[in-house]
Amino acid sequence: MKRLALLAATAALVLPAALPASSAAQTTAPAPSDTPTFSAAAVRAHVEFLADDLLKGRDTGSEGHEIAARYVASQFDGLGLKPAGDNGSWLQRIGFQKTERAKTPGTLTVTGPAGTKSFTHAGDVLIGMNAAEPKLDVSAPLVFVGYGLETARLGLNDYAGLDVKGKIVVTLRGYPKGLPSEEGAHLSATKGKIAEAHGAIGMLSIGTLQSMKARPWNRMVQFADEPDFTWVSPEGVPFDAAPGIRVGASLDDAAAQAVFAGAPTSIAAIRKIADKAGGKPKGFALKSTAQIQVESVSERVTSPNVVAILPGSDPKLRQEYVVLSAHLDHIGISPAKPGDPADKDRINNGALDNGAGIATMLEVARAMAQSPNKPRRSIVFLASTGEEKGLLGADYYARHPTVPGKQIVGNVDLDMPLLLYPFTDVIAFGADHSTLGPIVAKAVAPMGIKLAADPMPQETIFVRSDHYMFVKQGVPAVFLATGYANGGEKAWGEFLSGAYHHPGDDMTQKIDWDAGARFAEANYRIARVMTDSDTPPQWYKADFFGDLFAPEAAKAPKQ
C-alpha cells in the first residue's frame, strides 16, 4: 500500500432476488447454500507465488512485476473471465516517467534577517524534483499561507488578502484540528493546485505539532531518495496535477526557523495556534527569500494493469460496472547499506502488501465466476500497478477506463488485509459518504462482523488508497480493512512498525489463512450486493465528495 497507507478489500453476498429499489443498502442474509465456500489454501497458494523471492518484490516496471501480471492474467483466463486490457488482451500497458536525483545533492538557500543559510537535501530539508526542469534553479520571495487551504463550503480561505503571484508559499502540513478527516485529507492532497491557482510557483511545507508526532522527520528522511513516478498519457504527456508549481520542499526545524526569521509571528507561536481545535493561523508575507536548486534525470518505463470482466446477467444492468481493485506492485529490493552482510535479505516480498489483497480478489473472482447465479451487473477485476508510487495505476485506469467511465457505479479496493488475527470487525474508509456504508454493514453482519469507524483519522487513509482515484472521478468507493477489535489494534501497530515495507513482510509471518478465506467471503458478500441491487451505490445528498465530483448524479438521503 502507498507509503504508510493501509489495508483494504472488497466483498459481496449472493441474493436470491434483487434488492428493493427503495434502498440500495437493504439486504438480507443468504441461505447457507447460496454462499460459496472460500478456500484458505487457495489464498495461501496465491500469496506464496506472489511473495516468492523469484519476483524480487514486484517493483513497478520490473521483470518480477511482469511475471506477477502474467500470473494474475492466467488465473483470470482459467476462470473464464473476459480480457479487458488493451486490444483484447489482459494487460493495460501504462507508460511511466521515472525521475531520479543526479549526483549533486539539491539545496535550499534562505536569505533573510538572519543572513544566508543553506540546507542540503536529506538533512534539514527534503527537496522535490521536477522532471520538466532537470536543472532547476528558482529564487522567489516567501509568503506564509497557513494551511494553504481554500473552500467556502468548509469556511477555509487561507489566501485571503495575500499576494502570492510569482512567489513560493509556505504551508503547514495537514489541516485544522476539528475538520472532518476525509475532507481534510482531500484538501491537503490538493494544496499544490490551490497554490497554482493563486499564481504561486513553489511550495514549502512545515510540520505542525500533530503532524510531526504522526510522521517524525527521521521517518520522512528514510524515503528521501526514492525515484518519482508519474503516468504518461496515450499522447505521450507526463501527468502533473499542478505544473505551475515548479519547486517544492519539506522543512525540518532548522530550515523553518531560517524561513521565519524576523517574522511578526514565530513558527513556535504558529504551531501553538494550530494545535488548538479549529486553530487556523493567518498568513502573512515573510521577510526572507528562498533559492532551490536540484538536478534530476528521467527515463521512461512501462508497467501493466491487469484487467478482466465478468459480464452481468441482467440485460439492462450488465451495462453498469462494479470495480473490484487491488494493487499488484510492491517496492522491490532495498538498496544495500554500508556494513550489510552479503547474505542479508533485502527483498521486500509484499506478502500482505499486497499479495493478500490480490489473493482475496482472485478468490472473489473464482466465487463469482463459478456461482450458478451470476451477478446482475458486470464486474471489473483490476490488478493495478504503481500504487506504491502514488496510486498511479488506479489513477490511470480511472481516467482511461477500458469500459465506459460513466457506467462505473462503484468500487471497493483491497489493499493489505492484515491476516494476522481472527478479525471480527472491518473498517470501510469512505463509508460515511455513500450508501456503500450500510451496504458493507448489512452484507457482513450475517458473518458476525461489525463495521467500525475509522480508528486512525490522523493517518488520512482515505486519500492514500486506490479507491480515492475512483472517488475523484465521481464513483462511490470504499477501502475495506480488517479492524482493531479482537487483537487487531495490536497486530496493526506491530506490523506497521515492523514488517511493513520491509523484507519481513514475507511468508515467515504467522499468517492466519482462515482469516484470509473469511475476508474473501466478506468481500464477496459486499460485491454481490453492489452487483445485484436494483439501485447502484449512490452518494448521499449534500455530501462533500458527491457534490464536488458527481454534482449531477442521483443522490440518496443519508440513513
Side-chain angles (χ1 to χ4, degrees):
M1 78 180 357
K2 185 188 174 187
R3 188 108 43 242
L4 216 48
L6 284 185
L7 352 106
T10 112
L13 146 65
V14 179
L15 296 178
L19 294 179
S22 59
S23 172
Q26 292 179 1
T27 182
T28 57
S33 60
D34 292 329
T35 304
T37 299
F38 292 85
S39 169
V43 173
R44 183 184 67 243
H46 292 313
V47 177
E48 281 177 337
F49 183 91
L50 295 172
D52 193 278
D53 281 358
L54 175 70
L55 275 64
K56 298 180 181 179
R58 308 189 307 276
D59 200 4
T60 301
S62 70
E63 182 181 32
H65 182 272
E66 294 285 347
I67 294 170
R70 301 315 193 278
Y71 175 82
V72 172
S74 71
Q75 297 297 313
F76 286 156
D77 197 6
L79 293 173
L81 304 182
K82 293 180 59 179
D86 299 327
N87 304 315
S89 74
W90 299 102
L91 306 181
Q92 182 188 41
R93 180 66 58 179
I94 305 173
F96 291 97
Q97 182 160 279
K98 177 183 178 182
T99 302
E100 298 182 277
R101 297 181 186 279
K103 293 182 179 180
T104 303
T107 58
L108 168 68
T109 302
V110 180
T111 302
T116 298
K117 296 183 178 180
S118 187
F119 303 92
T120 303
H121 171 73
D124 290 306
V125 296
L126 300 176
I127 299 174
M129 296 177 287
N130 186 339
E133 297 185 60
K135 291 188 177 181
L136 192 65
D137 188 344
V138 174
S139 299
L142 301 175
V143 180
F144 174 60
V145 294
Y147 282 101
L149 303 177
E150 185 177 61
T151 171
R153 180 168 182 150
L154 297 175
L156 297 171
N157 189 9
D158 289 343
Y159 284 85
L162 299 175
D163 176 14
V164 302
K165 188 173 182 179
K167 300 174 183 178
I168 297 172
V169 298
V170 180
T171 75
L172 296 171
R173 289 190 205 110
Y175 52 88
K177 280 189 173 182
L179 199 69
S181 64
E182 294 178 349
E183 287 84 341
H186 163 73
L187 290 169
S188 293
T190 61
K191 287 183 181 182
K193 293 180 68 174
I194 296 171
E196 179 187 49
H198 285 275
I201 62 170
M203 187 166 67
L204 306 181
S205 175
I206 293 176
T208 63
L209 297 177
Q210 184 179 18
S211 72
M212 291 187 295
K213 182 178 179 181
R215 200 156 304 159
W217 185 255
N218 61 357
R219 195 165 84 192
M220 295 173 64
V221 172
Q222 289 177 11
F223 308 104
D225 292 323
E226 292 195 354
D228 284 349
F229 278 74
T230 189
W231 53 260
V232 177
S233 74
E235 295 74 32
V237 180
F239 175 73
D240 188 342
I245 302 300
R246 298 172 58 200
V247 294
S250 293
L251 279 55
D252 199 11
D253 271 353
Q257 295 293 344
V259 163
F260 278 84
T265 307
S266 69
I267 183 60
I270 287 169
R271 283 172 170 155
K272 188 174 181 180
I273 295 170
D275 206 43
K276 297 178 181 179
K280 303 173 186 176
K282 293 187 179 298
F284 48 82
L286 291 160
K287 297 181 179 181
S288 51
T289 62
Q291 178 185 24
I292 295 180
Q293 296 172 299
V294 61
E295 295 184 11
S296 60
V297 292
S298 297
E299 64 176 317
R300 295 288 174 91
V301 299
T302 69
S303 187
N305 288 332
V306 189
V307 197
I309 292 177
L310 177 63
S313 61
D314 186 287
K316 181 178 180 181
L317 295 183
R318 69 185 304 168
Q319 302 304 316
E320 297 178 349
Y321 299 86
V322 169
V323 177
L324 185 58
S325 58
H327 76 88
L328 182 59
D329 64 302
H330 195 50
I331 61 173
I333 302 175
S334 297
K337 297 180 180 178
D340 280 351
D343 61 349
K344 181 177 180 179
D345 181 11
R346 296 186 289 110
I347 298 175
N348 298 284
N349 303 87
L352 295 176
D353 183 15
N354 185 37
I358 291 290
T360 303
M361 182 176 69
L362 291 174
E363 261 297 273
V364 175
R366 180 196 59 77
M368 288 279 189
Q370 294 177 357
S371 172
N373 302 310
K374 294 295 185 289
R376 298 176 67 200
R377 287 184 178 83
S378 298
I379 183 164
V380 173
F381 296 98
L382 170 65
S384 63
T385 186
E387 191 271 353
E388 301 288 5
K389 310 304 183 187
L391 316 180
L392 297 180
D395 188 33
Y396 186 90
Y397 186 85
R399 295 172 186 265
H400 305 89
T402 57
V403 298
K406 293 185 180 299
Q407 291 164 219
I408 297 176
V409 299
N411 165 244
V412 182
D413 187 52
L414 307 95
D415 185 0
M416 204 168 81
L418 204 65
L419 309 179
L420 299 174
Y421 62 102
F423 69 94
T424 58
D425 67 333
V426 294
I427 307 156
F429 297 96
D432 292 340
H433 303 289
S434 73
T435 56
L436 281 175
I439 285 174
V440 171
K442 292 184 179 181
V444 301
M447 299 176 65
I449 297 173
K450 294 183 178 180
L451 176 63
D454 180 359
M456 55 192 100
Q458 75 281 358
E459 290 289 352
T460 63
I461 302 303
F462 180 71
V463 301
R464 293 164 58 191
S465 185
D466 278 345
H467 79 289
Y468 177 57
M469 300 296 102
F470 288 93
V471 168
K472 292 200 297 182
Q473 300 305 315
V475 178
V478 293
F479 164 34
L480 199 72
T482 48
Y484 268 27
N486 201 39
E489 182 174 7
K490 180 182 178 182
W492 275 111
E494 291 177 349
F495 181 80
L496 291 176
S497 62
Y500 172 73
H501 277 200
H502 184 273
D505 183 14
D506 60 14
M507 295 298 291
T508 65
Q509 299 172 98
K510 294 182 179 179
I511 298 175
D512 184 341
W513 298 112
D514 289 332
R518 180 171 167 82
F519 197 59
E521 179 181 344
N523 281 278
Y524 174 86
R525 288 173 175 265
I526 297 168
R528 193 76 203 216
V529 175
M530 294 169 67
T531 58
D532 287 357
S533 303
D534 285 346
T535 305
Q538 292 181 334
W539 295 105
Y540 285 135
K541 290 181 179 177
D543 178 76
F544 178 87
F545 294 99
D547 288 351
L548 179 63
F549 294 120
E552 304 301 321
K555 306 295 197 302
K558 191 161 188 176
Q559 301 178 14

